[in-house]
């Protein structure tokens, strides 16, 4: 139970910290953010996440929507579950004031046809569906379906929930990774093996997409870059075998170099903003923090890019691995929506222990 609770709540903490009501999310300079944290607050550990300046962003609002859909439709068919996702995503858009919602999510949710059972389905989009909006709301799926025997269900739900707004492999595969890595953390699978396991299971995800019969050719034509860039990252870190400790990089010790490394992943000036580099950055920060919550925050939630999303994703994995180990109470005790996040965690824990689920 503790790790379920920590995963849900710390996802909100990583989000609120990296967001800082847009002050950090759009700062574009890791060193400036780190200087501000030290000068104004006396360090990450001293920040009290409460009040208007530390509200959660759209990431947590949509993650809660995902969790509450999983709970409400827990014993229904998958099709009914997807309809519940649709309804919850539409409803949560009423709670986006000052939370910086992503344009892709807004456009996609507004395009849902609420009169049709499959009105959540979105066409493939080569231009505008590769953002991280699917990834940042999917970690709870890995709590609900964490067992190895539930992998087929985790694949189906994370892909379909993801491509409701981000119908492009670069987008919805981020949803799968966010959920899958959460499940590996709950299972206690060694962190250094996650990337290797991901590459071994992606063919199953691809087969699901083929079997679904929905924009198959376009999905397959745009599939390989996600695989190639993950492969390249794992080679850079020396993690291809899944058994070796990661290679150290200059970016491990220098904030400026880290910003450059994160930016190089997708040749982007706003790293973490796609379904691919958001999960890579979150994973890299988790690897490098060596179980230290404060170090994770400095690496995963306070950098030059989309740090509320990478912070939220990685913090959910941290909680699933380590619980509240080393997390100051002032980071979560007064967090916005903390009680709602805790309730979802408790219900997901109960449901994950049930014999049956959606089919």
């Amino acid at each position: 139970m503790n790790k379920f609770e920590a995963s849900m709540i710390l996802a909100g903490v990583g989000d609120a910290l990296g967001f800082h009501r847009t002050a950090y999310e759009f700062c574009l300079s890791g060193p400036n953010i780190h200087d501000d944290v030290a000068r104004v607050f006396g360090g990450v550990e001293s920040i009290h996440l409460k009040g208007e300046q530390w509200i959660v962003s759209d990431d947590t609002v949509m993650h809660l929507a995902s969790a509450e859909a999983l709970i409400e439709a827990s014993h229904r068919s998958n099709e009914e579950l997807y309809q519940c996702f649709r309804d919850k995503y539409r409803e949560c858009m009423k709670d986006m004031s000052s939370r910086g919602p992503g344009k892709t999510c807004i456009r996609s949710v507004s395009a849902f046809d609420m009169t049709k059972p499959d009105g959540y389905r979105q066409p493939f989009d080569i231009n505008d569906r590769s953002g991280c909006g699917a990834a940042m709301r999917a970690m709870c799926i890995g709590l609900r379906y964490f067992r190895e025997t539930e992998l087929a269900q985790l694949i189906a739900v994370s892909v379909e929930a993801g491509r409701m707004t981000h119908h492009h492999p670069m987008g919805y595969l981020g949803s799968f990774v966010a959920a899958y890595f959460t499940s590996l953390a709950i299972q206690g699978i060694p962190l250094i093996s996650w990337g290797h396991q991901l590459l071994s299971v992606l063919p199953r995800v691809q087969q699901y997409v083929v079997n679904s019969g929905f924009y198959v050719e376009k999905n397959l034509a745009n599939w390989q870059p996600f695989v190639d860039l993950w492969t390249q990252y794992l080679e850079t870190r020396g993690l291809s075998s899944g058994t070796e400790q990661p290679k150290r990089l200059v970016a491990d010790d220098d904030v400026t170099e880290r910003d450059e490394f994160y930016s190089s992943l997708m040749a982007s000036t706003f790293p973490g903003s796609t379904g691919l580099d958001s999960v890579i950055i979150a994973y890299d920060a988790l690897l490098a923090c060596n179980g230290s919550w404060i170090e994770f925050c400095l690496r995963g939630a306070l950098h030059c890019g989309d740090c509320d999303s990478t912070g939220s994703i990685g913090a959910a994995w941290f909680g699933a691995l380590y619980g509240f180990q080393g997390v100051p109470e002032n980071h979560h005790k007064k967090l916005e929506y903390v009680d709602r996040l805790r309730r979802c965690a408790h219900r997901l824990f109960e449901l994950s222990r049930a014999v049956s689920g959606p089919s």
Side-chain angles (χ1 to χ4, degrees), residues 151 180 193-205 234:
L151 179 57
Y180 182 54
S193 72
W194 291 6
H196 177 76
Q197 293 207 38
L198 170 64
L199 294 183
S200 71
V201 81
L202 279 176
R204 287 187 62 178
V205 184
L234 293 174

Side-chain angles (χ1 to χ4, degrees), residues 6-15 59 63 135-137 139 177-179 181-182 185 191 194 277-287 289 292-293 296-297 299-301 303 306-323 327:
S7 184
M8 286 298 297
I9 291 174
L10 293 185
V13 171
D15 172 29
D59 296 33
H63 192 217
M136 53 81 165
R137 63 176 193 258
M139 296 80 74
V177 175
F181 281 8
T182 305
L191 179 61
W194 291 6
D277 61 350
S278 60
V279 291
I280 291 181
I281 290 170
Y283 180 57
D284 196 73
L286 196 60
L287 281 167
C289 79
S292 164
W293 168 251
F296 168 76
C297 292
R299 295 170 180 276
H303 56 78
D306 197 345
C307 43
D308 60 337
S309 296
T310 60
S312 185
I313 295 166
W317 300 339
F318 184 100
L321 271 176
Y322 305 114
V327 182

Side-chain angles (χ1 to χ4, degrees), residues 139-150:
M139 296 80 74
C140 57
I141 298 171
L143 296 177
R144 176 65 181 88
Y145 310 112
F146 73 86
R147 294 182 180 86
E148 187 176 356
T149 55
E150 297 173 305

Side-chain angles (χ1 to χ4, degrees), residues 153-328:
Q153 179 70 356
L154 183 151
I155 290 171
V157 174
S158 62
V159 167
E160 296 303 344
R163 62 181 179 177
M164 287 181 192
T165 56
H166 292 72
H167 195 169
H168 188 287
M170 202 67 77
Y172 66 75
L173 287 180
S175 174
F176 168 69
V177 175
Y180 182 54
F181 281 8
T182 305
S183 76
L184 295 181
I186 292 294
Q187 290 177 57
I189 303 299
L191 179 61
I192 58 172
S193 72
W194 291 6
H196 177 76
Q197 293 207 38
L198 170 64
L199 294 183
S200 71
V201 81
L202 279 176
R204 287 187 62 178
V205 184
Q206 185 182 72
Q207 190 59 53
Y208 170 81
V209 171
V210 171
N211 293 345
S212 72
F214 194 54
Y215 287 94
V216 173
E217 290 185 6
K218 289 184 177 181
N219 276 290
L220 294 184
N222 291 275
W223 189 272
Q224 198 59 36
F226 192 93
V227 179
D228 290 345
L229 286 167
W230 256 105
T231 302
Q232 179 181 321
Y233 164 75
L234 293 174
E235 290 173 350
T236 299
R237 277 294 191 186
L239 293 168
S240 299
S241 70
T243 60
E244 302 292 330
Q245 292 299 317
K247 292 179 181 176
R248 288 189 60 78
L249 305 175
V250 176
D252 288 331
D253 303 309
D254 184 89
V255 181
T256 300
E257 293 284 348
R258 193 180 309 143
D259 276 0
E260 293 176 0
F261 175 60
Y262 289 170
S263 297
S264 73
L265 294 170
M266 291 285 292
S268 169
T269 57
F270 195 48
S273 60
T274 75
L276 174 60
D277 61 350
S278 60
V279 291
I280 291 181
I281 290 170
Y283 180 57
D284 196 73
L286 196 60
L287 281 167
C289 79
N290 293 315
S292 164
W293 168 251
I294 299 303
E295 193 65 27
F296 168 76
C297 292
L298 291 169
R299 295 170 180 276
L302 301 171
H303 56 78
C304 68
D306 197 345
C307 43
D308 60 337
S309 296
T310 60
S312 185
I313 295 166
W317 300 339
F318 184 100
L321 271 176
Y322 305 114
F324 287 102
Q325 174 183 300
V327 182

Side-chain angles (χ1 to χ4, degrees), residues 2 28 36 45 74 76 93 111 181 184 203 206 245 263 284-285:
N2 176 267
L28 306 183
D36 188 74
E45 64 278 5
S74 59
R76 303 179 194 172
M93 286 296 155
F181 281 8
L184 295 181
Q206 185 182 72
Q245 292 299 317
S263 297
D284 196 73

